[in-house]
Amino acid sequence: MKNPITRLFAFSSALVVTGLVPMAAAVVLFATHASVAQTAAVHAPIVLTGADKRPALSLDGDWASIVDPYFSGLFGFHHQEKANGWFLNRKAQAGDNFPTEYDFATAPKLKVPGDWNTQRESLMYYEGPVWYERDFTYEPKENTRIFLHVGAANYRSWFWVNGAKVCEHEGGYTSFNCDVTAEVHTGANSVVAAVDNTRREDNVPTLETDWWNYGGLTRTVSLIEVPETFIDQYDLHLSYGMGSVVEGWVHVVGAKPGAMVDVEIPELGADTTALVGKGGRAVVHLNIQNLQLWSPETPKLYKVQLRTGQDAIDDLIGFRTVETRGTEILLNGKPIFLRGISVHAEAPYRTGRANTDKDAETLLGWAKELGCNFVRLAHYPHDETMLRAADRMGVLVWSENPVYWALEFDNPKVLAKAEQQLDEEIGTSRNHAAIILWSMANETPNTDARTQFIETLAKRARELDPTRLITAALLVRSEGNTKIVDDKLGAALDVIGTNEYIGWYEQKPETADGTEWRINYQKPLIMSEFGGDAKAGLHGDENERWTEEYQANIYRHQLGMLNRIPQLRGMSPWILMDFRSPNRPLAGIQDEFNRKGLISDQGEKKAAFFVLQKAYKERTVGKPE
Ligand code: GCB
């Protein structure tokens, strides 16, 4: 045996049998690899709408962890792709005496949900596979389906329950559900996950990003039990027009055509029964009266009850419309200016991935204090806790697919990955009143392959959800003092987003005063990024980079310029809070944080926060509503 790390994951049956290794800990990888070949049907994960509203057994907490940089637990010593082959061969050759060199029972713990980087110093820069394991007791009921719900696992993940492989998933920012019905049994069970955050050229996002590649089971994990016939996805929204009809559909897995689905909004005294059609979908049309529309000022949410056969879900949904008219964005039929800020899913104060209600409330609370009615949740879909908080707190949301910078746009496999992530994003989040914009991409190169790629995504998003607006953050080009927005992708969008960094990456803050804008699309425009870095507490002259004064000066000049763009309908400057990025190594100032936050990662407000707050509160920026 040449490779000790490979041996770490070798067969342990003898030790399990002799009781030297605790059963739950040792049996897992043994059974895992032994049974990969025997488990013929590994189902693709499914999307569940409103998964957080279903009764669940939480699997959050401490998980055993084994760091496996060479991925020896999954691959053989000749790096055979076939996950189980080498292990089986070794057993055949070495028999049960083959030594075990791993033990989940004694392995260090990692918290789930949580990125591994900020939990263990040695993992701060780690990019590679980590194994997770935990035990749980369960009592499955008759005639049910059980799903392992994973809020997010960055970036690729593999799952086994009681040694049987149950699913694989790719994409680090969307939730998915693995069918584990066949594997979970009464009593003691165990679940193993391998999560690999290695960056690859053909990933979405790709090799280069400007944020930390936090790895692990970064969002909540649970077991969800549903009846055999169950609702997987549903879409309920206010129809355009009189504001007196809620329409949409409920999709039921396993239902026969003609099966009934009841939809009720008790507070409105409204209910209807819809019939499942051939594809499993029941079309909903619900007459309502005296609806209080959802808006940032009145973020009213209604309890909506869905029932079919043995299945029931109670969701909390707000009802509003969003559309464009010429260069206007209309919320509930009235023009609105989006006073926004961009937000990464970076946890306030402790850094790492945000994933608690408190994180969401702190971030959105700061946005509201700033005077915002809108956030751009960059650069990937954020979690359900954030979206629920936005619904509750009345903050409009731009939700973004992680098509960031230069993907392999001519690779059909990459397109399929982006489509899958878009399907998961929309499928999971489609009932959040807060979300008004699906963003397809950020700052992508203006090439034909790129345009085709994102047009395909935009078309798909429209098919999946015709009720929201499609946008993307485009790059801008310059001719002298004129900024020109003519990226051909603009034709595929409802709302144009543009990023620019006058005063930071180009020229001086004062350059904004003489800058004109030419936008080749008669559509609403959102300035989706501008800003500059400042280290909280660093003071000086307003011409001195990295000081709070310099950043504040950028905002002052930008606001003046933005007010001269007639079709500007919103803005989301970069960014609410400082966030970790390995691209930002300037010692003593950045220390691996992008410092463009209006607030530091420790919650200190910088001078620019107050410049923007004044403009938002006094409505001196944007078109009066
Ligand atoms: C951008 C990117 C954003 C970066 C930002 C910056 O244009 O969209 O992800 O973090 O600039 O700070 O450079």
Side-chain angles (χ1 to χ4, degrees), residues 120-179:
R120 202 180 294 165
E121 216 181 323
S122 62
L123 296 180
M124 187 44 127
Y125 294 88
Y126 182 70
E127 295 187 310
V130 170
W131 293 86
Y132 286 78
E133 187 270 350
R134 73 161 282 166
D135 306 332
F136 60 95
T137 49
Y138 205 73
E139 202 160 329
K141 294 190 200 74
E142 293 276 291
N143 306 322
T144 55
R145 297 271 296 272
I146 307 166
F147 287 94
L148 179 70
H149 172 77
V150 183
N154 191 33
Y155 169 84
R156 262 191 94 173
S157 51
W158 297 254
F159 294 86
W160 295 263
V161 169
N162 297 326
K165 187 171 180 192
V166 287
C167 70
E168 283 182 29
H169 182 264
E170 182 163 350
Y173 301 96
T174 43
S175 75
F176 54 96
N177 304 275
C178 305
D179 190 341

Side-chain angles (χ1 to χ4, degrees), residues 210-379:
D210 186 27
W211 68 87
W212 208 272
N213 180 22
Y214 293 123
L217 294 169
T218 53
R219 297 180 189 166
T220 190
V221 178
S222 62
L223 278 185
I224 294 177
E225 195 175 86
V226 295
E228 262 172 352
T229 298
F230 66 98
I231 296 165
D232 61 344
Q233 296 193 37
Y234 51 94
D235 182 320
L236 294 168
H237 57 266
L238 190 63
S239 88
Y240 291 88
M242 307 303 287
S244 55
V245 175
V246 165
E247 61 181 17
W249 48 264
V250 178
H251 185 265
V252 188
V253 175
K256 297 205 175 69
M260 291 190 294
V261 178
D262 295 319
V263 179
E264 188 180 349
I265 308 178
E267 196 180 332
L268 292 173
D271 63 81
T272 186
T273 299
L275 299 183
V276 170
K278 267 199 182 133
R281 200 180 256 215
V283 174
V284 175
H285 182 102
L286 182 61
N287 291 317
I288 45 168
Q289 277 177 345
N290 304 323
L291 176 80
Q292 189 178 355
L293 293 167
W294 186 99
S295 73
E297 294 75 33
T298 56
K300 170 71 187 166
L301 301 174
Y302 288 95
K303 180 160 140 189
V304 180
Q305 301 180 326
L306 308 179
R307 304 276 180 273
T308 185
Q310 304 301 307
D311 199 19
I313 289 195
D314 291 355
D315 206 338
L316 265 182
I317 303 179
F319 297 99
R320 51 98 196 103
T321 59
V322 65
E323 60 202 309
T324 61
R325 185 179 61 201
T327 60
E328 301 283 2
I329 296 175
L330 308 181
L331 185 76
N332 297 323
K334 289 192 232 99
I336 186 165
F337 186 83
L338 303 174
R339 298 183 306 277
I341 189 76
S342 294
V343 182
H344 257 298
E346 182 92 14
Y349 302 108
R350 66 175 194 278
T351 78
R353 264 290 152 262
N355 48 29
T356 65
D357 275 334
K358 191 153 187 282
D359 293 338
E361 281 174 5
T362 302
L363 291 168
L364 293 181
W366 281 335
K368 290 195 76 160
E369 194 184 333
L370 189 58
C372 294
N373 58 7
F374 170 64
V375 285
R376 174 185 179 202
L377 298 183
H379 279 302

Side-chain angles (χ1 to χ4, degrees), residues 87-108:
F87 288 92
L88 288 178
N89 291 343
R90 289 307 306 179
K91 181 165 197 280
Q93 288 162 24
D96 285 346
N97 291 327
F98 199 76
T100 260
E101 298 190 54
Y102 73 92
D103 184 354
F104 279 124
T106 53

Side-chain angles (χ1 to χ4, degrees), residues 209-211 344 376 378-379 400 404-405 442-443 473 475 499-501 504-505 529 533 574-575 579 581 584 594-596:
T209 66
D210 186 27
W211 68 87
H344 257 298
R376 174 185 179 202
H379 279 302
E400 191 159 319
Y404 182 89
W405 291 351
N442 179 71
E443 292 186 353
L475 290 165
N499 298 353
E500 51 86 10
Y501 281 90
W504 189 253
Y505 294 124
E529 283 181 33
D533 289 56
W574 196 252
I575 185 171
F579 59 97
S581 168
R584 312 292 172 175
N594 183 314
R595 297 279 182 210
K596 294 191 186 67

